[in-house]
Amino acid sequence: MYISKITLENFRCFEGKTDILLNSGINFFVGDNNAGKTTIFKAVEFIKSGKIKEEWITKNLSKDAEVSVELELKGDDVAQLLGTDKLKKYQSYLVGDDKLILKRSSKESTWTDSKGKEKNISLKNITFYNPETKVFENPSGIDTVLSSLFDTQFVYSDLKNEDYQGFGKTNIAGRLISDVTEQFKTSPEWQELKRAHSVAFGTEGLAQLLSEVQSRVQGILNEQYGEAKVEFNFGLPTLDNFFKNGNILLEENGIKTDVSEKGTGMQRALALSLIQVYAGIDNQVSGILKTPLFFFIDEPETFLHPQAQDKLLASLEKISDNSQIFITTHSPYLLRSYNKNSHKLYIFSRNPDEKRIQEDTHIGILPYSPSWGEINYFAFKVASPEFHNELFGELHNLARSKNKTFENGSKTVGKGISCFDTWLSERSDVIPTDLEHVNFKGKVNNSYQDKTMTSYIRNHIDHPGDYPDGQPVRKKPTIEEIKDSIEFMLKVYESELK
């Protein structure tokens, strides 16, 4: 099962309704700082926690505005999960064969149950879409079973020390220890501990030492309140209780230190290591239907060398075969294996002239995608000479393969750059060269003169050249000119060569 769609309404920086379609593998969120990337993480937390509306509402909106988050869960195992004991009574909420839609909203509403009783819904309630009644409903106790439906693991860039204090089931270390030690409860070692505990705390141990105190308490109780028997009982703690007293120590230069006392870099490295180990163990368990676990990792590249980022990405790729992953990042290294068929890439922007969030549909133009130039341009808005030349070459090849013509159809684009340049020059939105962009220091010579800035930039990148006196032959294109030329080529690609 995976989250196939998230719908936000007036949630933090997303005013109005915003739909985000997701992939079952890795979903990358890139773009400007404070543009809403981690807000997607917070939206999932909102579904699970339902904190007060004021913490999540879009700024400057009326207090009466509805704030909601809707999750669409999809997968072949959805029906199987609803067949388990904890979730059987929610089978009527299955949409089709493989989908569930749940929602938490600040808008109060009502619904009518199967007995005709009207029930209220508020921010405190998680609701499921009923495909028969066409409304969102809140069966009794559904909040308590949400953890049986799916679980989440968040690794934020601003980790908190308490995330590593002990092995509670809410953090990744606790999940790892709990899963690995499940069989330990039937081991000889655990049975021996039970026997030792019985001796130490039983009638021959601590209970005997406390028998006098126990009798005195019972005596007073009987005198003042009536007959009752008092017994001090020291039952064997569950394995989980032992875990709560555990912690993780890291040893460096012979000195052991609690990980909560380490720096953020070490803590993040440990969190990512635990995730990789946990997912590996989880994948080895076959034939067992387990609650899906979704990973939300904020800027995993932080404190990591590029080579370490490559290794981390390889591990995350393996994890994504069985667990959905969400990554916010500013690193092109984590996108070097991006595949539009198995990944999703969303670009976030704070520019008022652009959409707040937009799915990338461009990476993949080149036959050898993704190139560094593609990644940097489409994901991070960084124009480069390298991508300009890659795109120029691909468009030239496409124009040749499609037998594009110019000069009223009298000529066909061939191998020569000059004919491709002429074909480009006939486009209505072409950027032509001027006297500042010619071959020899502002002077026209007898050789071919580039008609378009696109060809001029390509030729300058490949052959900047020097005049005999050492001065540049061509004026170097600016980054802005390179960007404008790339945008022009992308329009040509979309309209005529795609």
Side-chain angles (χ1 to χ4, degrees):
M1 184 174 74
Y2 68 101
I3 301 173
S4 56
K5 184 170 76 169
I6 296 179
T7 300
L8 310 177
E9 182 171 7
N10 298 325
F11 190 80
R12 300 185 76 171
C13 60
F14 291 92
E15 185 175 352
K17 278 195 174 184
T18 301
D19 290 330
I20 306 170
L21 301 178
L22 300 162
N23 188 279
S24 61
I26 300 180
N27 298 273
F28 295 97
F29 301 148
V30 304
D32 300 339
N33 288 324
N34 300 316
K37 298 187 294 296
T38 56
T39 293
I40 310 305
F41 293 13
K42 297 297 182 181
V44 178
E45 283 193 292
F46 173 78
I47 279 283
K48 300 200 75 177
S49 66
K51 294 180 181 178
I52 61 174
K53 171 184 173 182
E54 284 68 24
E55 294 184 22
W56 309 104
I57 190 170
T58 302
K59 291 182 179 180
N60 303 320
L61 283 185
S62 165
K63 291 183 178 181
D64 297 328
E66 179 181 2
V67 176
S68 69
V69 174
E70 186 177 309
L71 291 188
E72 180 181 281
L73 303 172
K74 195 173 183 180
D76 296 336
D77 55 343
V78 172
Q80 287 180 280
L81 284 167
L82 293 184
T84 58
D85 291 339
K86 290 183 178 180
L87 297 170
K88 275 184 178 179
K89 62 180 178 179
Y90 306 112
Q91 290 179 333
S92 60
Y93 295 98
L94 184 65
V95 180
D97 297 325
D98 62 352
K99 189 188 300 182
L100 280 174
I101 304 173
L102 55 152
K103 180 178 182 180
R104 191 184 293 276
S105 172
S106 65
K107 183 179 180 180
E108 296 186 358
S109 60
T110 60
W111 68 286
T112 304
D113 66 14
S114 58
K115 298 179 180 179
K117 184 177 181 180
E118 189 175 87
K119 294 186 175 181
N120 296 322
I121 295 174
S122 69
L123 182 65
K124 297 179 180 179
N125 304 124
I126 191 81
T127 62
F128 273 40
Y129 178 76
N130 188 326
E132 185 175 340
T133 63
K134 309 297 183 184
V135 298
F136 282 92
E137 302 176 353
N138 172 237
S140 176
I142 201 164
D143 285 69
T144 62
V145 299
L146 188 58
S147 59
S148 299
L149 187 58
F150 70 89
D151 213 339
T152 54
Q153 180 63 51
F154 295 89
V155 180
Y156 285 107
S157 56
D158 54 343
L159 287 173
K160 299 178 178 63
N161 285 345
E162 52 264 32
D163 294 337
Y164 298 96
Q165 293 174 351
F167 297 107
K169 285 189 174 181
T170 58
N171 61 45
I172 190 64
R175 299 178 199 274
L176 176 60
I177 298 298
S178 180
D179 277 18
V180 171
T181 58
E182 187 63 31
Q183 298 300 319
F184 183 69
K185 297 175 183 178
T186 60
S187 70
E189 292 80 5
W190 182 252
Q191 300 307 315
E192 180 61 31
L193 177 62
K194 289 172 68 175
R195 286 191 291 272
H197 178 273
S198 179
V199 172
F201 291 89
T203 56
E204 298 179 3
L206 185 61
Q208 183 180 16
L209 293 175
L210 295 174
S211 60
E212 182 180 349
V213 175
Q214 181 177 292
S215 297
R216 291 170 61 186
V217 172
Q218 180 174 312
I220 296 173
L221 181 66
N222 290 342
E223 288 178 6
Q224 299 179 6
Y225 300 100
E227 289 291 327
K229 186 176 180 180
V230 176
E231 178 182 347
F232 292 165
N233 180 48
F234 299 93
L236 178 68
T238 65
L239 202 55
D240 290 342
N241 288 125
F242 284 102
F243 294 159
K244 291 177 182 178
N245 294 320
N247 60 356
I248 300 177
L249 301 177
L250 293 180
E251 182 175 340
E252 293 180 289
N253 301 319
I255 301 175
K256 292 182 180 180
T257 310
D258 191 305
V259 69
S260 63
E261 298 178 11
K262 292 291 185 181
T264 302
M266 180 62 76
Q267 291 180 358
R268 285 179 60 82
L270 176 64
L272 295 174
S273 299
L274 288 167
I275 284 175
Q276 293 172 67
V277 173
Y278 178 82
I281 292 174
D282 187 50
N283 293 344
Q284 293 169 13
V285 180
S286 59
I288 300 177
L289 184 63
K290 301 197 70 174
T291 303
L293 174 60
F294 308 138
F295 293 101
F296 298 80
I297 309 175
D298 186 23
E299 299 180 18
E301 72 273 10
T302 306
F303 305 109
L304 290 182
H305 184 277
Q307 290 182 345
Q309 293 182 41
D310 285 346
K311 293 178 181 178
L312 173 63
L313 179 59
S315 295
L316 294 178
E317 284 283 4
K318 292 180 181 178
I319 294 173
S320 69
D321 289 338
N322 296 279
S323 298
Q324 189 177 26
I325 297 177
F326 300 82
I327 294 174
T328 71
T329 182
H330 294 287
S331 171
Y333 291 96
L334 291 182
L335 292 172
R336 63 185 302 177
S337 297
Y338 175 78
N339 185 330
K340 64 181 180 180
N341 296 318
S342 57
H343 298 152
K344 281 279 188 180
L345 173 61
Y346 276 98
I347 302 166
F348 292 69
S349 175
R350 295 184 64 188
N351 189 332
D353 297 327
E354 298 176 344
K355 290 183 179 179
R356 169 68 68 172
I357 177 173
Q358 186 168 282
E359 181 183 353
D360 173 73
T361 57
H362 290 96
I363 293 181
I365 288 178
L366 305 176
Y368 44 86
S369 293
S371 71
W372 286 120
E374 262 187 307
I375 292 170
N376 281 312
Y377 188 77
F378 293 123
F380 302 107
K381 302 178 183 177
V382 177
S384 66
E386 292 78 14
F387 180 52
H388 186 282
N389 267 16
E390 291 170 344
L391 187 58
F392 184 97
E394 178 59 17
L395 265 59
H396 187 182
N397 289 335
L398 288 172
R400 287 178 58 201
S401 65
K402 294 178 181 291
N403 297 314
K404 293 294 182 178
T405 61
F406 57 97
E407 293 185 2
N408 296 319
S410 64
K411 296 181 180 179
T412 303
V413 175
K415 290 183 178 180
I417 290 178
S418 60
C419 60
F420 180 58
D421 179 42
T422 304
W423 180 75
L424 286 176
S425 70
E426 294 179 355
R427 314 277 74 72
S428 60
D429 53 353
V430 67
I431 306 172
T433 52
D434 52 34
L435 288 179
E436 289 188 344
H437 298 91
V438 292
N439 284 347
F440 288 94
K441 299 170 63 176
K443 297 179 181 178
V444 177
N445 71 342
N446 294 326
S447 63
Y448 177 81
Q449 301 301 312
D450 301 314
K451 293 183 173 64
T452 67
M453 277 298 295
T454 298
S455 294
Y456 177 86
I457 292 170
R458 182 270 177 199
N459 288 330
H460 185 280
I461 293 169
D462 272 15
H463 309 288
D466 285 321
Y467 201 58
D469 60 7
Q471 297 180 19
V473 171
R474 298 179 179 88
K475 181 180 179 180
K476 183 179 179 179
T478 65
I479 289 297
E480 195 61 36
E481 288 170 337
I482 292 174
K483 181 178 180 181
D484 290 343
S485 179
I486 289 174
E487 285 299 306
F488 164 69
M489 285 192 285
L490 289 174
K491 291 177 183 177
V492 173
Y493 172 79
E494 290 289 339
S495 63
E496 300 189 53
L497 298 176
K498 190 174 181 178

